[in-house]
Amino acid sequence: MRKRLIAGNWKMNMTPTEGSAWAKKIAAALSGDSEVVVCPPYTNLYPVVESLRDTHVSVGAQNVHQEEKGAYTGEVSVHMLKDLGVKYCIIGHSERRQYFSETDELVNIKTKLALSAGLVPIICVGENLSQREQNVTTEWVRYQTKLALSGLSDDQVSGLVIAYEPIWAIGTGKTATSEQAQAACCDIRQVVEEIYNNEVAQNIRILYGGSVTAANASELFSMADIDGGLVGGASLKDDFLEIIKA
Ligand code: PGA
């Protein structure tokens, strides 16, 4: 049985003070056996980790640099995150790919480095609107998944998380239908089975992300291959508590 996972991607929102207060509120409201992760901006990681100590909520970063250390002004390494008490790391979010030119090769490098440091990657894949309209969603998510996982072992892939996030649904209020989301998550699980085996494919957790709200969460999360959600906008408000319940 895969444990359900709800991750909140705060993006560039919330000051450290606001973030700590919000994290405490989430932890206080938490019940049930889903796993919950909040991914604040770098500056909030330390206060949020402190606020969530001895709670069931974990902390993730939104990105990490691809080198272990060195002269990379302004960047943050996997070891810094790990030492801080961060457990997860989002890798290859479409906003990183779009605004910071991150490629599938870079996503693979970051994934390997995060795993080597003991972080759990949440790898994002997903098609844009023109790819959806040209009916190449399956090929595209299979391709991105293959490249992201290139060179990883069975054990490494079993433990990580992939988030299917159609770019046209991110922050737009347009959610994929539960059938569209299920189909893409099933494609991802299938390609994992082809490259690895059935056991790995059954272990890996696959999330849906893109305008998840309290209103659509339970239907999305009821689909066979959707193990939870990566939530952006709605993770900043009380809706997130409703999504966790869903
Ligand atoms: P959204 O963002 O929920 O605001 O669409 C999702 C994401 O970018 O992970």
Side-chain angles (χ1 to χ4, degrees), residues 9 11 93-95 165 169-172 209-212 230-234:
N9 175 9
K11 308 194 180 182
H93 189 279
S94 62
E95 287 153 15
E165 297 209 308
I170 295 178
T172 57
S211 299
V212 175
L230 180 54
V231 185

Side-chain angles (χ1 to χ4, degrees), residues 42 45 59-70 72 74-91 106-122:
Y42 285 143
L45 286 172
V59 180
Q62 298 174 16
N63 180 37
V64 71
H65 194 257
Q66 66 271 24
E67 297 290 339
E68 282 194 61
K69 61 177 176 175
Y72 301 100
E75 294 296 326
V76 169
S77 79
V78 288
H79 302 298
M80 295 171 191
L81 296 177
K82 182 71 184 167
D83 185 71
L84 209 55
V86 168
K87 184 170 172 197
Y88 288 86
C89 183
I90 298 174
I91 296 178
L106 186 65
V107 169
N108 177 245
I109 293 169
K110 290 186 176 192
T111 299
K112 285 179 176 154
L113 193 60
L115 284 165
S116 74
L119 297 170
V120 181
I122 301 175

Side-chain angles (χ1 to χ4, degrees), residues 206-223:
I206 303 176
L207 312 181
Y208 168 77
S211 299
V212 175
T213 63
N216 59 32
S218 54
E219 186 179 336
L220 287 162
F221 301 165
S222 71
M223 305 309 280

Side-chain angles (χ1 to χ4, degrees), residues 11 17-18 28-29 32 43 53 55-56 58 104 107 109 141 148 155 183 186 218:
K11 308 194 180 182
T17 309
E18 290 163 350
T43 45
R53 212 171 274 294
T55 73
H56 295 295
S58 309
D104 291 302
V107 169
I109 293 169
V141 298
D155 279 354
C186 178
S218 54

Side-chain angles (χ1 to χ4, degrees), residues 55 61 103 117 153 156 215 218:
T55 73
T103 62
S153 70
Q156 286 177 318
S218 54

Side-chain angles (χ1 to χ4, degrees), residues 141-205:
V141 298
R142 285 175 58 92
Y143 169 82
Q144 285 191 310
T145 304
K146 269 189 189 171
L147 290 183
L149 302 182
S150 166
L152 301 184
S153 70
D154 290 20
D155 279 354
Q156 286 177 318
V157 176
S158 282
L160 59 73
V161 180
I162 296 182
Y164 166 63
E165 297 209 308
I167 296 168
W168 50 270
I170 295 178
T172 57
K174 281 188 214 151
T175 317
T177 64
S178 47
E179 290 75 23
Q180 288 171 326
Q182 161 60 24
C185 291
C186 178
D187 288 335
I188 293 168
R189 204 176 300 284
Q190 252 166 28
V191 76
V192 171
E193 175 161 2
E194 285 164 29
I195 311 171
Y196 294 91
N197 55 51
N198 182 260
E199 194 186 334
V200 174
Q202 291 309 318
N203 282 337
I204 192 170
R205 287 185 292 178

